Amino acid sequence: MLHDVEITTATTNASVPEPSTGGLFVEALARRDFTAMACCLSPTVRFRALLPRRDVDVAGRDATMAEFRRWFADEAEALEILDATVGQIGRRLYLRWRVRMTPLDPGQGETRVVEQHAFATGGERLESLSLLCSGFQPG
């Protein structure tokens, strides 16, 4: 059954909330904009990650971004955010994303999916980021 839909423009005096630092971080990841991701981090950010094959414990924006580039910067693969959540638990920011990486050339490997959960502290810039990773899985 088809329905007619009328679109109207509404105006309001209510302000639109600005995206949170966590939201900006995830949006930048979706675009592979590593510069914008880095802008969400304090220069002295502490980044810890529990990965299936190794643990990460680094300090500094550059070292943190090196890890994200290692995981997501391969231009031979398309990156798609399948699902993401940004929230808050007490004073900690909660971030979660599920990403699908698909080879642009099907003969160059299989599609992979990874899910990462992170807790962060900070305000305009993230001061600490603790991440748990599922590892890349066939997808």
Side-chain angles (χ1 to χ4, degrees):
M1 174 184 281
L2 296 175
H3 297 281
D4 290 328
V5 177
E6 183 178 332
I7 299 173
T8 60
T9 303
T11 59
T12 178
N13 291 333
S15 63
V16 176
E18 292 294 320
S20 72
T21 303
L24 294 172
F25 188 84
V26 174
E27 287 175 2
L29 172 62
R31 297 187 312 271
R32 278 192 175 139
D33 186 343
F34 298 107
T35 301
M37 288 174 71
C39 288
C40 294
L41 303 175
S42 161
T44 59
V45 64
R46 174 140 187 235
F47 178 57
R48 293 178 293 181
L50 181 58
L51 310 176
R53 296 181 187 197
R54 66 185 177 93
D55 296 343
V56 174
D57 191 347
V58 297
R61 183 184 294 156
D62 292 342
T64 300
M65 291 314 305
E67 294 296 327
F68 280 92
R69 282 186 178 94
R70 179 186 318 223
W71 303 328
F72 301 117
D74 186 353
E75 293 292 331
E77 295 180 300
L79 181 148
E80 177 186 7
I81 300 284
L82 299 175
D83 191 27
T85 301
V86 176
Q88 194 153 348
I89 299 175
R91 294 182 181 191
R92 292 196 181 264
L93 182 64
Y94 171 66
L95 309 167
R96 181 191 60 78
W97 52 85
R98 184 176 307 133
V99 174
R100 179 172 33 226
M101 304 292 289
T102 305
L104 297 177
D105 178 355
Q108 295 300 310
E110 62 181 18
T111 297
R112 304 172 299 141
V113 175
V114 65
E115 183 160 312
Q116 296 177 328
H117 295 249
F119 292 91
T121 61
E124 288 184 28
R125 299 249 161 85
L126 303 179
E127 299 289 335
S128 71
L129 188 62
S130 299
L131 182 139
L132 175 64
C133 182
S134 68
F136 284 94
Q137 305 296 319

